[in-house]
Amino acid sequence: MSIAVGELVYFQDPKRSWVVGNVTEWNEQKLQATCKARDDGEVATQLKEGNVLVIREDLLEEDVDDLLHLTLLHDATILDVLRRRYFKDVIYTNIGAIVVALNPFNFKIPRYMDDQMPRYLAEGDRIEHNVPHSWAVAHNTYWEMVNDNYNQCILVSGESGAGKTEASKIVMKYLAALSCKAGDERQKEGARQVGVKINKSSPPLECFGNARTVRNDNSSRFGKFMRVKFDGEGFLKGAHITKYLLEKSRIVTASPGERVYHSFYLLLRSSHAERALLGDQKEYKSVSSGKMWHNKEFNTAEEFDEVCDAMLTIGLDQERIDDMWLVVGGILHILNLEFEAEDEGSKLRASTESNLDKCLALWQVDAEKVRRELVASELEIKGQAVVKLLPPVKAVDGRDALVKALYDAEFGWLVEQCNEILDVGDAGCWIGLLDIFGFEDFEVNSFEQFCINLANETLQGHYNQFIFTRDMAECRAEGIDVADVEFPDNSPCLKMMVGKGGIAALLDEECSLGQGSDDGFLHKITEGHASNPFFLKKALCQSSFIVHHYAGSVSYEVENFLEKNRDTLKDSMRLILRASGVPFVAGLLDAPADQPGPRLTVGGFFRSQLRDLMDVVNSTNPHWIRCVKPHPAKNPRMLCGVSTMHQLASAGVLGTVKIRKAGFPVRIKFEDFIQRYEIILDSSPTGDVKEDSIAIIAACSLDPKRAQPGISRVFLKSDAYVNLEQRKREKLHERARVVQAFARALKGYSEARHQVYEQNKAVIEQLRAVITATLKVERAEANGRKAIAGEAGSLLSATVKEFYDKTRVIDHGRIGVLERRMQDEHQKERDELAEEWYEGAFVTIEDEERMRTGLVNMIEAKLAAARKHEQLRMLKAAEEATKLAHHAKLEERKAKAETIKACKAEKIAKIKEAAEREARRQEAAEQRRLQDMRGRQQKLLQNEAKMVVKEEQFLMGLQTKARMGGGKILTPAEREERDKKEWARQEAVRRRTMLSDYTRQTWEEMRLADQDFEKNIQREELQKRRKEREAVILKRDEERRRQQQNKQDAEAEQLRLNREIEKIRSRETELGSKLVRDRKTMRKRAEEREWTLLQQYFANQKKHESLERKRNSENFSRRHAEGGSQLRPRTTSSGEFVPLANRLGSPEPFVMAGSKLSVSP
């Protein structure tokens, strides 16, 4: 694949993940690119082909509420959309069934304040008119539970600091409000009280189960599954909490920059500190281990009081609350104990004995027994008690095991007390709310991270199965054949972790050995899983192994794996604590098991809890909220691309993309498909979008495994989408070649004309000169005529316009009135003419020159305006031409980008094909290796069997020799007696062997039959639940499709009505226009008739005035001549006479009002 320089791309920057930029250089040999970021100009070099994604400009503005609706579904587009939405304070985005929530670290965003909750509460049983939110998840979950009468589950996950606990609180608060929406006041008040108790249970659980980490100031260090229970009418009735895997190591110590559990700090700063015999906080090693004293939450004495008040609210009595804090204080004291070596064992360091005394005083246990058990252990060997002294290291382990067991038991007791207060038994349906630790990958990962990632791997497997099933159901609903589609499966990784012979099983096996060690555990898993593709043991890493999880590869340090997996608290120490004088302390720990045997390890107990959890989740309809911490700094409006992408992978968001790509990732509506790929058709479209889409698919020769038409859209594989784009580009190139051929022909014609011109240039120039001269003369004459005609026309137009503006309708009935009025005014005008005669009746040469100059200036002004208008028109035409050229260039660039993208896809396909061939080759080699190994094992077994046979023959020979009496010659009777005894003995042995084999075989068959029977029952039950769940889901999907179809039908009907209304309006507009045109035509004809009458009238009037003036002038001249006057009429310089009538203005215009005629003043 080749990428053009200047292409718009996403490129993967190692510091910022996917960034928008342009290609500045492309190395065709190495297939590497150099890109420059668009925002800050940073340059990234040596980018491989897979780290560069060519895009279109319009994709940079795409914004959707569901990422699966993106035109191009890719890691880069997902990150870019999330980034742009985050900086617009839009923190929730859907991706299929998942709601991705980016922690804004800002609780004042207007659209997410509690005053916006009524908008969501007001919707029906499905959120359709509001943006994605945790409220929307809670709303849809609640109504699915009510409508389907089926248990639901909301799974909240994310790394520490991503906002899981806050998201769970938001969901819980909304469920409490939604359940109180209907019903009488008693029911509403009952539900509200339950909601208050559930919310009040959070502060005690967070106090004893949360701690500060480098990633979060209030990080939950345990998993929590809360069943929120409702009655048959949907009112909140209670809740039940289950905890998972409290992080016990944080009781003892914390890493730099972190803290142990909040409870220790609150007690040290509270009024109970003196009662717990505590001093300054810096005296205690556990709280000082992380060198982090202060925190934003759970840090002050006031917060201690708030936790105690919350305990009282949920129903705990004050005595039990005080006892809980005394246990915490005793743990602080006992963790200050130090041991030093003494002979073969150890002893308590004298400087720390006071801490032990204070602890024993608080717990009220036997001091001597505790002192003895801390430094020694009593073992029973062959029925005799043997005391084993403990070295300092083992003594510290025993001390830590004591506080871990006690604190874990206290936290479990707190959870049980919450359940006793909140739980109401089986009230009806419930909604499970899982707030569990997200996928973890630290610099140093230990046993806790292994268990946490096991839980996430298991949940991801469930998610993959559920989402894939749902995606395939959508395809089937559209009529798509999905028989050959396979989805990403992480079950081999789970089998390696928890299956038979897996890592967890080998860890338990190593723990059961008396001499087991971390190195032995590492050796066993390396031997057992060295060939597993999900396992890796690097030669240079002597104390770690790597597991390739769905979210990435994690390296685990095996140090202390066995210690953390064992339950190391001694039974004798349990008995000492159970004999405490404080009833609360005495009841925390369970009694030792009566029957000896292997104990359940921490990992084994966690796996059993995980199995129970998955059984519960599988029996519900799940929903997901994936919380993401956008930046490690935990500040608003900051987003780190690398960290965000890692969390999206850990949360399974990118796994959703893989699942979609495993099926038909590209899904285009028929209308959009036709609009984009219509050019592929050789004929015109038929108008049926589905038939035209099928024709396009057939034209590209795409088989049903790669492209299929559904009911409303076309489903495509990625390679089929690439083929369509390539075929489209080919068609565009064909059309472009036609245009280019026409352009080349036009160019050839122009060149031929130019060649003819060059050959006949002299003749053509002579002809051009003659024609130019002729045209110049004609143009001058035409311009003169045009100027004269234009002037006359302008004057006439001005006169007509002025007259037309002032004249509207002529009332012909009043013409006579007008004539009589004009006759009355004639006499007055004759007198005025006589007076004007004396003032001057002739026009001078200067007046005539001034009029001519004004006329010339007016003509030149009009010519200048015409030239300016022509220049503006030419500029506008030039701009239009420039725009067309720019548009053509953009189209050419887009076509080039599509070509590059197709080539890249082809390259990727070849690489994938090569990778698949290599994988098949490796698999075949692995099969051959396994067959060779089985052959060698078979040979070893055969050789071993031969050796056994030889040994048996040798032993039988010795026995025969012994029975023969050492070679003594026997008599026939003795030999007969000896043979009878031997035959009887062999027969008895044979019978016993047969009976034993038969019995063993019978029991084995019975055990296997029982196991098969139980498995069949479990399988049938699981299939039954799955079928019921699928039936419910299909029923709900069918209902949604029906509603969607009704909605589409209503929209179509509305569209049809709108079209009918538009047609009616068009007809009305057309009729109105016709009426207006008819009215204008009639008016114009009337005005023409009126104008003709007026012309006749004025012509007659002018003729009358001329005759009258001439007569008056003659009379006036005659009178003056008779009087002997010497006056003479004025003449021009040329002696031409100018009559007075020619120097008068035009007659006064008539102004019509309605149908009445009036004369302007």
Side-chain angles (χ1 to χ4, degrees):
M1 175 181 176
S2 178
I3 300 178
V5 174
E7 287 280 12
L8 181 64
V9 296
Y10 286 112
F11 66 91
Q12 194 166 22
D13 184 78
K15 297 179 181 178
R16 298 189 294 168
S17 191
W18 293 98
V19 181
V20 180
N22 296 92
V23 178
T24 59
E25 184 180 350
W26 170 253
N27 190 325
E28 189 67 34
Q29 288 74 23
K30 297 182 179 180
L31 296 179
Q32 292 180 351
T34 300
C35 298
K36 183 178 181 181
R38 175 179 284 190
D39 51 2
D40 59 359
E42 184 177 351
V43 177
T45 60
Q46 298 181 356
L47 294 171
K48 295 182 179 180
E49 184 179 0
N51 295 334
V52 180
L53 176 66
V54 180
I55 57 170
R56 304 192 306 267
E57 186 73 33
D58 59 301
L59 296 181
L60 299 180
E61 302 299 329
E62 197 168 17
D63 188 7
V64 293
D65 288 335
D66 191 337
L67 296 176
L68 292 184
H69 295 162
L70 287 172
T71 303
L72 178 61
L73 191 60
H74 189 273
D75 296 356
T77 55
I78 288 176
L79 178 62
D80 190 40
V81 171
L82 289 177
R83 179 190 289 116
R84 286 188 276 109
R85 288 170 67 88
Y86 180 72
F87 284 107
K88 292 189 292 187
D89 286 334
V90 182
I91 65 174
Y92 292 100
T93 306
N94 293 334
I95 177 164
I98 292 181
V99 174
V100 180
L102 273 67
N103 192 341
F105 299 105
N106 176 16
F107 299 101
K108 301 298 182 182
I109 299 176
R111 64 166 57 91
Y112 301 129
M113 300 295 288
D114 286 348
D115 58 359
Q116 298 297 314
M117 189 183 293
R119 295 173 52 198
Y120 289 79
L121 294 172
E123 292 221 31
D125 57 358
R126 196 78 187 169
I127 294 293
E128 295 179 350
H129 305 295
N130 284 289
V131 296
H133 197 290
S134 296
W135 294 337
V137 178
H139 187 99
N140 297 336
T141 304
Y142 175 83
W143 283 111
E144 286 181 13
M145 178 198 70
V146 172
N147 295 335
D148 301 338
N149 195 26
Y150 196 77
N151 296 330
Q152 307 291 316
C153 185
I154 300 176
L155 309 177
V156 184
S157 67
E159 75 165 33
S160 180
K164 301 187 297 295
T165 303
E166 289 300 325
S168 300
K169 291 179 182 178
I170 291 171
V171 170
M172 189 62 243
K173 189 173 183 179
Y174 188 89
L175 289 175
L178 185 58
S179 68
C180 300
K181 185 179 177 181
D184 55 34
E185 289 301 323
R186 182 183 59 81
Q187 292 173 317
K188 291 182 179 180
E189 182 61 27
R192 276 195 292 267
Q193 291 300 323
V194 174
V196 169
K197 287 186 177 181
I198 292 175
N199 289 329
K200 285 294 184 180
S201 67
S202 293
L205 293 177
E206 291 181 18
C207 174
F208 285 86
N210 288 19
R212 176 191 172 97
T213 66
V214 293
R215 297 185 177 181
N216 187 9
D217 295 336
N218 187 31
S219 174
S220 300
R221 307 316 299 165
F222 69 100
K224 180 175 68 174
F225 183 76
M226 177 185 292
R227 299 190 190 196
V228 184
K229 299 184 178 181
F230 302 84
D231 63 9
E233 298 180 5
F235 289 98
L236 183 62
K237 285 299 181 183
H240 182 275
I241 301 172
T242 304
K243 77 173 182 70
Y244 298 95
L245 192 66
L246 180 71
E247 187 181 7
K248 296 180 181 180
S249 61
R250 194 168 291 272
I251 304 168
V252 179
T253 185
S255 301
E258 298 186 346
R259 302 202 318 176
V260 294
Y261 288 105
H262 295 320
S263 56
F264 296 106
Y265 299 92
L266 291 185
L267 178 60
L268 285 166
R269 296 164 188 176
S270 69
S271 57
H272 280 57
E274 184 177 355
R275 185 176 179 183
L277 307 179
L278 295 172
D280 185 72
Q281 61 182 6
K282 296 186 179 179
E283 296 177 5
Y284 301 96
K285 294 183 178 180
S286 58
V287 296
S288 303
S289 56
K291 304 297 181 184
M292 182 60 63
W293 300 106
H294 299 288
N295 195 42
K296 294 180 180 179
E297 300 180 76
F298 296 98
N299 196 54
T300 63
E302 291 76 10
E303 289 169 316
F304 175 88
D305 296 335
E306 292 176 4
V307 172
C308 293
D309 292 341
M311 290 182 180
L312 292 172
T313 302
I314 63 176
L316 296 181
D317 58 79
Q318 188 62 48
E319 183 181 358
R320 288 290 178 266
I321 296 173
D322 294 339
D323 291 342
M324 289 183 67
W325 292 116
L326 292 181
V327 171
V328 175
I331 291 174
L332 285 171
H333 286 301
I334 203 170
L335 286 176
N336 269 9
L337 298 183
E338 296 179 359
F339 300 90
E340 57 186 8
E342 184 183 39
D343 298 333
E344 297 181 358
S346 60
K347 67 176 182 179
L348 190 63
R349 184 166 293 170
S351 60
T352 62
E353 288 188 358
S354 60
N355 291 285
L356 181 59
D357 295 335
K358 294 176 182 178
C359 174
L360 299 178
L362 294 174
W363 293 351
Q364 298 182 23
V365 294
D366 192 324
E368 289 301 323
K369 291 182 179 179
V370 173
R371 289 176 183 274
R372 183 175 64 252
E373 290 298 329
L374 286 175
V375 296
S377 293
E378 186 175 318
L379 306 177
E380 185 176 351
I381 301 177
K382 296 181 180 182
Q384 296 181 357
V386 177
V387 176
K388 179 182 179 183
L389 300 178
L390 300 177
V393 175
K394 293 294 183 181
V396 171
D397 291 342
R399 178 204 68 186
D400 294 345
L402 170 62
V403 299
K404 289 178 182 178
L406 198 59
Y407 192 88
D408 183 60
E410 183 179 43
F411 185 71
W413 178 88
L414 178 61
V415 173
E416 290 302 323
Q417 293 303 306
C418 292
N419 289 335
E420 288 184 9
I421 296 164
L422 300 175
D423 201 1
V424 292
D426 295 331
C429 291
W430 49 265
I431 295 176
L433 190 58
L434 179 64
D435 177 6
I436 199 166
F437 16 66
F439 188 87
E440 292 187 352
D441 182 10
F442 301 137
E443 292 184 3
V444 178
N445 301 286
S446 188
F447 176 74
E448 293 85 0
Q449 281 68 47
F450 180 81
C451 294
I452 288 172
N453 292 342
L454 170 61
N456 282 274
E457 192 79 46
T458 305
L459 291 171
Q460 183 65 26
H462 170 266
Y463 173 78
N464 288 350
Q465 180 68 36
F466 182 85
I467 294 300
F468 181 76
T469 303
R470 188 169 181 173
D471 191 55
M472 293 301 101
E474 180 183 349
C475 293
R476 294 188 188 97
E478 289 276 348
I480 304 301
D481 183 11
V482 292
D484 298 328
V485 178
E486 297 180 358
F487 76 102
D489 188 10
N490 66 335
S491 58
C493 182
L494 284 172
K495 184 177 180 181
M496 180 194 71
M497 296 179 72
V498 296
K500 184 177 181 181
I503 295 174
L506 293 175
L507 178 61
D508 289 346
E509 178 184 327
E510 191 70 13
C511 288
S512 64
L513 302 177
Q515 300 298 324
S517 64
D518 294 331
D519 293 336
F521 162 66
L522 180 61
H523 179 70
K524 284 185 178 180
I525 62 174
T526 303
E527 282 190 345
H529 302 286
S531 59
N532 196 309
F534 293 93
F535 181 88
L536 176 63
K537 171 65 174 68
K538 294 184 178 180
L540 298 179
C541 299
Q542 300 299 324
S543 61
S544 65
F545 64 94
I546 297 175
V547 176
H548 300 302
H549 293 283
Y550 73 96
S553 301
V554 180
S555 176
Y556 298 98
E557 289 290 335
V558 297
E559 184 179 359
N560 294 328
F561 249 68
L562 268 65
E563 186 67 29
K564 294 178 179 179
N565 190 46
R566 291 189 180 112
D567 185 5
T568 55
L569 183 63
K570 296 181 290 185
D571 291 343
S572 56
M573 189 65 78
R574 289 178 178 270
L575 294 174
I576 293 172
L577 290 173
R578 288 180 60 81
S580 169
V582 181
F584 176 75
V585 176
L588 284 179
L589 297 177
D590 296 331
D594 296 333
Q595 297 180 353
R599 296 181 178 180
L600 188 63
T601 60
V602 175
F605 179 71
F606 178 71
R607 293 198 300 277
S608 67
Q609 280 190 313
L610 188 58
R611 284 194 294 270
D612 295 340
L613 173 64
M614 294 312 300
D615 289 340
V616 172
V617 172
N618 287 327
S619 66
T620 63
N621 183 32
H623 307 263
W624 289 270
I625 298 177
R626 295 299 195 243
C627 301
V628 176
K629 182 170 66 175
H631 199 281
K634 296 179 288 187
N635 291 327
R637 303 185 71 81
M638 293 180 65
L639 188 142
C640 174
V642 175
S643 175
T644 301
M645 287 301 292
H646 176 71
Q647 293 176 73
L648 292 176
S650 303
V653 173
L654 302 186
T656 306
V657 178
K658 293 180 182 178
I659 291 175
R660 176 59 70 94
K661 288 183 177 179
F664 293 91
V666 182
R667 302 173 187 189
I668 308 175
K669 291 183 178 179
F670 285 136
E671 294 80 4
D672 299 336
F673 189 79
I674 295 298
Q675 182 179 1
R676 186 168 181 81
Y677 302 111
E678 178 184 351
I679 193 173
I680 297 177
L681 292 174
D682 295 328
S683 59
S684 300
T686 61
D688 188 338
V689 291
K690 185 171 183 179
E691 293 299 328
D692 292 338
S693 300
I694 294 175
I696 292 173
I697 293 173
C700 296
S701 303
L702 298 177
D703 56 60
K705 293 182 179 180
R706 302 167 63 200
Q708 295 185 40
I711 297 176
S712 62
R713 61 190 65 203
V714 177
F715 289 71
L716 301 170
K717 287 280 190 180
S718 298
D719 58 338
Y721 175 72
V722 173
N723 289 347
L724 278 170
E725 290 291 329
Q726 184 176 359
R727 188 63 179 270
K728 176 186 175 183
R729 287 193 297 272
E730 291 175 357
K731 288 291 184 179
L732 287 174
H733 290 165
E734 290 179 4
R735 306 292 174 85
R737 284 194 291 271
V738 172
V739 174
Q740 290 172 356
F742 177 77
R744 284 192 293 269
L746 184 61
K747 182 180 178 182
Y749 175 71
S750 300
E751 292 176 350
R753 286 186 59 189
H754 181 71
Q755 186 176 2
V756 171
Y757 171 77
E758 291 294 334
Q759 293 175 353
N760 303 276
K761 185 175 182 180
V763 177
I764 291 173
E765 290 295 335
Q766 292 177 1
L767 291 174
R768 181 175 294 172
V770 174
I771 292 171
T772 301
T774 304
L775 290 176
K776 187 179 294 185
V777 174
E778 292 179 356
R779 192 179 299 116
E781 295 177 354
N783 288 339
R785 288 193 297 270
K786 185 177 180 181
I788 296 171
E791 180 183 356
S794 298
L795 292 174
L796 179 60
S797 299
T799 304
V800 172
K801 184 177 184 301
E802 183 179 1
F803 178 77
Y804 181 76
D805 290 340
K806 295 181 178 180
T807 306
R808 293 296 180 264
V809 181
I810 300 294
D811 188 356
H812 299 285
R814 300 192 65 191
I815 296 297
V817 177
L818 177 62
E819 291 177 350
R820 287 191 297 271
R821 184 180 300 174
M822 293 299 296
Q823 289 173 2
D824 294 338
E825 294 178 355
H826 283 171
Q827 185 61 38
K828 183 177 179 180
E829 186 177 357
R830 292 189 188 97
D831 298 336
E832 292 176 354
L833 289 173
E835 294 176 358
E836 188 178 356
W837 180 267
Y838 291 102
E839 295 176 359
F842 299 97
V843 178
T844 64
I845 296 176
E846 290 78 5
D847 294 334
E848 185 178 356
E849 186 67 26
R850 186 168 55 253
M851 292 172 62
R852 186 181 295 108
T853 304
L855 182 61
V856 171
N857 292 336
M858 182 180 67
I859 294 172
E860 289 179 352
K862 290 184 178 181
L863 290 175
R867 283 194 296 270
K868 186 175 181 181
H869 177 72
E870 182 65 18
Q871 289 175 357
L872 291 175
R873 188 189 65 77
M874 293 178 67
L875 287 174
K876 186 174 181 181
E879 290 177 358
E880 292 293 334
T882 304
K883 289 181 180 179
L884 290 175
H886 181 65
H887 180 71
K889 188 174 181 181
L890 288 177
E891 291 296 330
E892 182 181 359
R893 185 176 297 173
K894 288 182 180 179
K896 186 182 297 183
E898 296 295 341
T899 305
I900 292 171
K901 185 176 179 181
C903 295
K904 181 178 179 181
E906 183 179 359
K907 183 68 175 180
I908 292 174
K910 291 182 179 179
I911 293 173
K912 287 183 178 179
E913 184 179 358
E916 291 176 356
R917 288 199 301 270
E918 181 64 20
R920 290 194 295 269
R921 186 186 65 77
Q922 292 181 357
E923 184 178 359
E926 183 68 18
Q927 292 292 336
R928 290 195 299 272
R929 189 180 67 80
L930 290 175
Q931 291 178 0
D932 295 341
M933 185 181 296
R934 293 193 186 99
R936 289 195 297 271
Q937 290 178 352
Q938 190 66 28
K939 289 182 181 178
L940 290 174
L941 291 175
Q942 293 176 358
N943 293 334
E944 186 177 356
K946 292 179 180 179
M947 292 295 296
V948 171
V949 171
K950 288 182 180 180
E951 290 179 357
E952 290 178 352
Q953 291 176 354
F954 178 72
L955 291 174
M956 289 179 63
L958 293 177
Q959 293 175 359
T960 303
K961 186 176 180 181
R963 288 194 298 271
M964 293 290 292
K968 179 181 177 180
I969 299 176
L970 302 177
T971 62
E974 292 176 343
R975 284 198 299 272
E976 184 177 357
E977 183 67 23
R978 182 203 63 195
D979 292 341
K980 287 182 179 179
K981 290 181 180 180
E982 180 64 21
W983 291 338
R985 186 187 64 79
Q986 291 180 0
E987 184 65 21
V989 170
R990 186 179 64 80
R991 289 180 179 177
R992 285 197 303 271
T993 303
M994 291 178 60
L995 182 60
S996 176
D997 292 342
Y998 176 74
T999 303
R1000 188 182 301 107
Q1001 183 178 2
T1002 302
W1003 279 103
E1004 185 67 21
E1005 290 177 355
M1006 291 176 64
R1007 186 179 66 81
L1008 293 176
D1010 291 341
Q1011 290 181 355
D1012 293 339
F1013 180 72
E1014 292 177 358
K1015 289 181 180 178
N1016 289 334
I1017 292 177
Q1018 293 176 357
R1019 190 179 299 108
E1020 291 175 358
E1021 185 66 24
L1022 183 61
Q1023 290 177 355
K1024 182 180 178 182
R1025 290 200 300 267
R1026 186 178 293 114
K1027 288 180 180 178
E1028 291 176 353
R1029 184 166 68 252
E1030 290 178 354
V1032 171
I1033 293 173
L1034 290 175
K1035 179 181 177 182
R1036 185 168 61 252
D1037 291 342
E1038 182 65 28
E1039 181 64 21
R1040 290 176 185 167
R1041 285 195 295 273
R1042 185 180 62 78
Q1043 294 177 358
Q1044 186 68 22
Q1045 185 64 35
N1046 292 339
K1047 185 177 179 181
Q1048 291 177 356
D1049 295 341
E1051 291 177 353
E1053 182 65 20
Q1054 184 65 33
L1055 182 61
R1056 188 184 65 79
L1057 293 175
N1058 292 340
R1059 289 176 178 173
E1060 292 294 332
I1061 292 171
E1062 197 64 34
K1063 289 180 181 179
I1064 293 171
R1065 289 176 179 173
S1066 299
R1067 287 196 295 270
E1068 291 178 351
T1069 304
E1070 186 176 354
L1071 291 174
S1073 301
K1074 185 177 180 182
L1075 290 173
V1076 171
R1077 287 195 301 271
D1078 294 342
R1079 190 180 296 114
K1080 287 182 178 180
T1081 303
M1082 295 173 66
R1083 182 175 178 179
K1084 185 176 180 181
R1085 291 175 180 174
E1087 290 175 349
E1088 289 176 353
R1089 289 195 297 272
E1090 293 168 359
W1091 175 251
T1092 303
L1093 292 173
L1094 285 173
Q1095 283 180 335
Q1096 293 175 0
Y1097 168 75
F1098 283 114
N1100 293 331
Q1101 183 184 9
K1102 188 175 182 180
K1103 183 177 180 182
H1104 171 74
E1105 289 177 351
S1106 299
L1107 293 173
E1108 185 67 23
R1109 288 175 181 172
K1110 185 176 181 182
R1111 185 169 55 254
N1112 292 337
S1113 179
E1114 291 176 353
N1115 293 333
F1116 181 79
S1117 300
R1118 187 169 53 254
R1119 286 196 302 269
H1120 279 276
E1122 291 174 356
S1125 174
Q1126 298 300 318
L1127 293 175
R1128 295 290 186 269
R1130 293 184 182 180
T1131 59
T1132 62
S1133 58
S1134 59
E1136 183 179 355
F1137 173 76
V1138 180
L1140 180 63
N1142 292 343
R1143 291 189 282 114
L1144 295 179
S1146 60
E1148 295 293 335
F1150 297 99
V1151 180
M1152 306 297 172
S1155 60
K1156 295 181 179 180
L1157 181 64
S1158 62
V1159 181
S1160 63

